[in-house]
Amino acid sequence: MRAAILPVTPLQQNCSLIWCTKTMKGALVDPGGDLDRLKAGVAKAGVTLEKILVTHGHLDHCGMAGVLAKELDLPIEGPEEADRFWIARLDDDAGRWGVEAHTFEPDRWLKDGDTVTVGDLVLDVVHCPGHTPGHVVFVHQPSRFAFVGDVLFKGSIGRTDFPMSDHQSLIDAITQKLWPLGDDITFVPGHGPVSTFGAERQTNPFVADMALKQ
């Protein structure tokens, strides 16, 4: 697997282009906006897109996923169906935030324990509610790499002051679903720099082992 991070929207959301080096087939994870920039990145990498993956229903992550899917005739996989609430609001939220976003219907809602394929790659789907109720994380075990959306950041965690957010659910998802995957997993968050689960267990003030003991 190869991956490139392409920040999009005024919120600088980390859209990831991932691809299988054997087949050169790829997917965009969370194409929230700036579609011309994303298409240029795909062309530069020499990748043939075969699908769109979505971690959750917030507009900076998926506001333009439906437009891109229609334009390029691509299926959308994700998030978990509890985020239908957020996807249904995209057109309304666009006006509030001053960015373009459009409601869509995923071709496949995902569940915990599902897998998604990109070329010959197989990624595990982990349902991690809290930031949004239907948030999912994509994990490529062979390369020890994960795309976690807004669940976890370097030094922080996802906001839980939105409708249908839940702080304790988010803490539980991180500690009970992500940490067992291994300290050596590198993750791309929805915003900001990459980190590893191990580094966050050591230093993250919200979910480090010592912080939770206190």
Side-chain angles (χ1 to χ4, degrees):
M1 185 183 78
R2 292 285 304 278
I5 299 172
L6 305 164
V8 295
T9 82
L11 296 166
Q12 287 296 284
Q13 190 274 122
N14 288 332
C15 175
S16 295
L17 169 64
I18 64 174
W19 69 94
C20 166
T21 54
K22 188 174 167 190
T23 63
M24 292 307 287
K25 289 183 177 174
L28 284 168
V29 182
D30 289 352
D34 299 329
L35 297 188
D36 287 344
R37 178 154 195 260
L38 295 181
K39 286 184 278 191
V42 171
K44 185 178 177 186
V47 171
T48 301
L49 282 184
E50 64 173 4
K51 66 181 60 174
I52 292 166
L53 301 176
V54 173
T55 62
H56 68 292
H58 284 166
L59 84 171
D60 54 325
H61 289 258
C62 69
M64 293 298 284
V67 174
L68 184 64
K70 194 174 288 184
E71 189 180 317
L72 301 181
D73 194 24
L74 299 172
I76 299 173
E77 299 185 7
E80 203 268 349
E81 196 167 2
D83 265 21
R84 184 185 284 278
F85 164 83
W86 282 105
I87 293 172
R89 291 172 42 141
L90 286 171
D91 288 288
D92 293 336
D93 284 344
R96 268 184 220 115
W97 289 86
V99 297
E100 190 178 357
H102 300 284
T103 299
F104 63 93
E105 177 76 18
D107 296 271
R108 180 187 174 200
W109 295 104
L110 298 173
K111 291 187 169 67
D112 192 63
D114 281 350
T115 58
V116 295
T117 59
V118 179
D120 290 347
L121 307 174
V122 179
L123 288 83
D124 296 325
V125 175
V126 184
H127 179 215
C128 292
H131 177 65
T132 68
H135 201 304
V136 296
V137 164
F138 300 104
V139 183
H140 187 242
Q141 292 279 7
S143 58
R144 312 300 289 152
F145 215 82
F147 304 88
V148 304
D150 287 353
V151 171
L152 179 68
F153 304 104
K154 182 178 172 68
S156 190
I157 59 173
R159 287 174 58 177
T160 53
D161 56 344
F162 294 115
M164 300 183 76
S165 295
D166 184 75
H167 181 77
Q168 191 58 50
S169 295
L170 183 62
I171 299 295
D172 292 346
I174 294 167
T175 57
Q176 296 171 24
K177 291 188 165 183
L178 298 187
W179 287 174
L181 296 173
D183 288 354
D184 61 329
I185 287 194
T186 298
F187 69 90
V188 179
H191 307 264
V194 302
S195 183
T196 66
F197 289 168
E200 298 313 303
R201 288 188 73 167
Q202 291 283 322
T203 63
N204 191 303
F206 298 94
V207 286
D209 294 349
M210 286 304 292
L212 293 172
K213 278 179 188 165
Q214 292 165 3

